[in-house]
Amino acid sequence: MKRPGLLVVVFVGALLTFITFNTVITDSEGSKGLEAGDKLPPFAMPLSTSPCEGRCDANVATAAGQGAAGARPACEVRGPEVLNVCELREQGPFVLAFVFHPVERCRDQLPVLERVAAKHRDVQFRVVAVRANASDARGLRSGLPVGYDNDGAVANEYAVVVCPTITYVKRGGEIAGSTVGVQSEAQLEEWVRKLE
């Protein structure tokens, strides 16, 4: 009678070992952000300064009437309190830093981004607070514009799993690449110089 229980334990142990091994060796898209050559996913989201109260989800629609993705295309949703990636693409090169509000290493990346942004006025820098609301986004106290991705839809489109994930975009919307994890000022400078 004890043998079936032992077999279950051995099977579960072997399964967990396989899953762990597979996770470590798999080069998954979700762990590295967007790469050079990937298409820039459109989105519009409220900025931390937005008067939107309650649940204000980002729009990731590519056409009208896409239900939860958005009632109209994201590129059409614009305004002074909206972070719109299509508008950024039209204005020149930019950097998108995806952060998770309560994670300290994410917040620690923001001053480094601000210092690099101050040296590169022709490159726009924006912060996206993932799974956050307006209050969380304001709580980051960043000198950079901060949008918030309440339901994580934009983070999913940009393959964000690790915090911070930073996506670098050239003029015209061509993705130069992404970095995952905390970046030094020198590392950020190297990426930003590729955009100019």
Side-chain angles (χ1 to χ4, degrees), residues 143-176:
L144 301 171
V146 179
Y148 57 97
D149 182 17
N150 192 297
D151 62 359
V154 174
N156 288 340
E157 293 286 326
Y158 281 72
V160 174
V161 174
V162 177
C163 179
T165 294
I166 303 173
T167 300
Y168 307 88
V169 184
K170 296 179 181 179
R171 187 172 306 279
E174 180 188 347
I175 295 172

Side-chain angles (χ1 to χ4, degrees), residues 1-12:
M1 292 233 173
K2 292 184 179 179
R3 280 205 138 131
L6 179 61
L7 288 174
V8 170
V9 169
V10 170
F11 175 75
V12 169

Side-chain angles (χ1 to χ4, degrees), residues 74-87:
C75 288
E76 294 178 5
V77 181
R78 301 189 182 209
E81 292 173 337
V82 174
L83 171 54
N84 183 309
V85 77
C86 305
E87 195 170 7

